[in-house]
Amino acid sequence: MALSSIFLPLPLPKLVSSSRSHRLLPARASSAAPAASASFDLRRYWTSLIADVESELDAAMPMRPPESIHSAMRYAVLPGAGNEGAAKRAPPVLCVAACELLGAPRSAALPAAAALEMLHAASLVHDDLPCFDAAPTRRGHPSTHAAYGTDMAVLAGDALFPLAYTHVIAHTPSPDPVPHAVLLRVLAELARAVGSTGMAAGQFLDLAGATALGEAEVMQVLTKKFGEMAECSAACGAMLGGAGPDEEAALRRYGRTIGVLYELVDDIRSASGNGKMRRNASVLRALGMDRALGIVEELKAQAKTEADRFGDKYGDRVLPLYSFVDYAVERGFELQDAAATP
């Protein structure tokens, strides 16, 4: 069976071809809100969230027997065990930002935000395994299987998936402010994102060599492997914040676009020597640098278009979404010391 015949139907970002050269520069502001985002302190907002997320994660994963598994789980998720990149916490930040955009309290989203980080970490633990990417390091430090062995890494990843779901059930304030029906929808969304039509499908397509084909196949892999988690993060925040159908759909599109944008920029930075770790080199080979830069600008504009839908109704609460788009492209600050930032 040809690889092209097994791609799953997916609403990919609508990109237009361009032969122009592009640079990673901010797109022209489409309204007053994007211009105002320049004065919004995303780093302060982000780091204030990280402290809450770290506390939630630490409490959710106490050391207990069997200690080998729980130690590996904590290594994969929590900073301090040589895992400098854990402090970025992009999925939880996106979830909470979407929830707070709609006026809901942060406490409504924190359990789901922590669950998203558990799922994200579990996916990275499995991605790094010898049977997949065979990565000995993760963000400059030994990957979980390199530090604990392949057997413990598999078990740690396996254990993080159900822990994420049980944490949401046990700790989300329900039925007030989160109705039970919404809680069920959040659980279903988390399961969908990591399942056989979500991130697992992205890993399969990557293993099957899809990034060696054309642009559509490359975008499919990026959307499934990385867009799904970001879409899930924004969608969970939308549900927990009480979004209507149109608002939830817009936040889904925003999240999916941000996820692809963030990863594509990572690949470009790595290829140009600005990143910390070279990954997915085949993505750049398939697209070419000029086209990849063009897609970055198109994705950035699309994400801000989705954020525009909320400016009139929610005012300054939309600024984290605008600033997140700019950060995804420009990476204007580092977050590894975020937990210590006041």
Side-chain angles (χ1 to χ4, degrees):
M1 181 181 295
L3 183 60
S4 60
S5 68
I6 58 177
F7 275 83
L8 301 162
L10 183 72
L12 293 170
K14 295 180 180 179
L15 304 175
V16 295
S17 298
S18 173
S19 59
R20 296 177 300 165
S21 296
H22 298 267
R23 293 182 295 165
L24 297 184
L25 295 174
R28 182 177 61 184
S30 58
S31 68
S37 69
S39 62
F40 175 76
D41 191 343
L42 178 65
R43 190 179 192 277
R44 180 174 294 276
Y45 177 78
W46 199 323
T47 53
S48 74
L49 276 174
I50 284 175
D52 291 339
V53 172
E54 298 302 326
S55 177
E56 188 88 9
L57 287 167
D58 185 49
M61 295 184 297
M63 282 298 297
R64 62 180 72 169
E67 292 189 359
S68 294
I69 296 176
H70 288 94
S71 179
M73 291 167 66
R74 289 178 64 85
Y75 180 87
V77 175
L78 294 170
N83 192 357
E84 67 173 70
K88 291 183 178 178
R89 304 299 192 212
V93 170
L94 184 52
C95 175
V96 174
C99 182
E100 290 187 329
L101 166 71
L102 302 166
R106 182 173 296 187
S107 59
L110 272 177
L116 284 158
E117 192 60 40
M118 294 177 200
L119 296 177
H120 182 223
S123 73
L124 296 180
V125 169
H126 285 175
D127 272 0
D128 290 340
L129 289 172
C131 59
F132 292 128
D133 292 349
T137 62
R138 167 64 57 179
R139 303 184 183 101
H141 294 275
S143 53
T144 303
H145 76 266
Y148 285 84
T150 299
D151 51 357
M152 287 300 106
V154 171
L155 291 175
D158 288 348
L160 283 169
F161 285 112
L163 178 60
Y165 306 129
T166 57
H167 187 76
V168 171
I169 294 169
H171 295 280
T172 302
S174 183
D176 183 22
V178 181
H180 292 318
V182 171
L183 189 58
L184 290 174
R185 290 192 64 219
V186 168
L187 291 171
E189 177 65 23
L190 294 171
R192 181 205 64 79
V194 300
S196 60
T197 61
M199 293 168 65
Q203 183 67 39
F204 164 74
L205 293 170
D206 198 6
L207 289 171
T211 53
L213 301 177
E215 180 176 313
E217 291 82 3
V218 169
M219 295 303 295
Q220 185 87 349
V221 172
L222 292 176
T223 302
K224 283 294 181 184
K225 283 195 71 173
F226 307 103
E228 288 283 357
M229 176 55 69
E231 176 183 342
C232 176
S233 301
C236 287
M239 295 175 198
L240 293 162
D246 290 343
E247 291 176 326
E248 181 182 326
L251 284 167
R252 281 183 178 279
R253 292 190 298 268
Y254 169 88
R256 185 169 63 245
T257 303
I258 282 289
V260 177
L261 173 63
Y262 203 98
E263 179 60 24
L264 185 54
V265 170
D266 271 0
D267 292 336
I268 292 170
R269 286 166 54 85
S270 295
S272 61
N274 294 324
K276 296 181 181 179
M277 181 177 175
R278 181 64 185 267
R279 299 169 298 169
N280 291 341
S282 56
V283 169
L284 273 299
R285 285 197 296 268
L287 295 175
M289 182 62 80
D290 185 69
R291 180 58 185 144
L293 291 169
I295 292 174
V296 164
E297 293 299 327
E298 292 159 13
L299 290 170
K300 182 177 178 178
Q302 289 174 15
K304 288 200 171 183
T305 295
E306 297 300 339
D308 273 337
R309 302 174 188 274
F310 299 96
D312 290 341
K313 185 175 181 180
Y314 296 112
D316 287 350
R317 293 208 300 265
V318 77
L319 294 182
L321 299 186
Y322 280 115
S323 297
F324 203 94
V325 179
D326 292 329
Y327 176 78
V329 177
E330 301 302 325
R331 312 296 169 90
F333 54 84
E334 294 294 330
L335 283 160
Q336 52 261 53
D337 61 342
T341 301

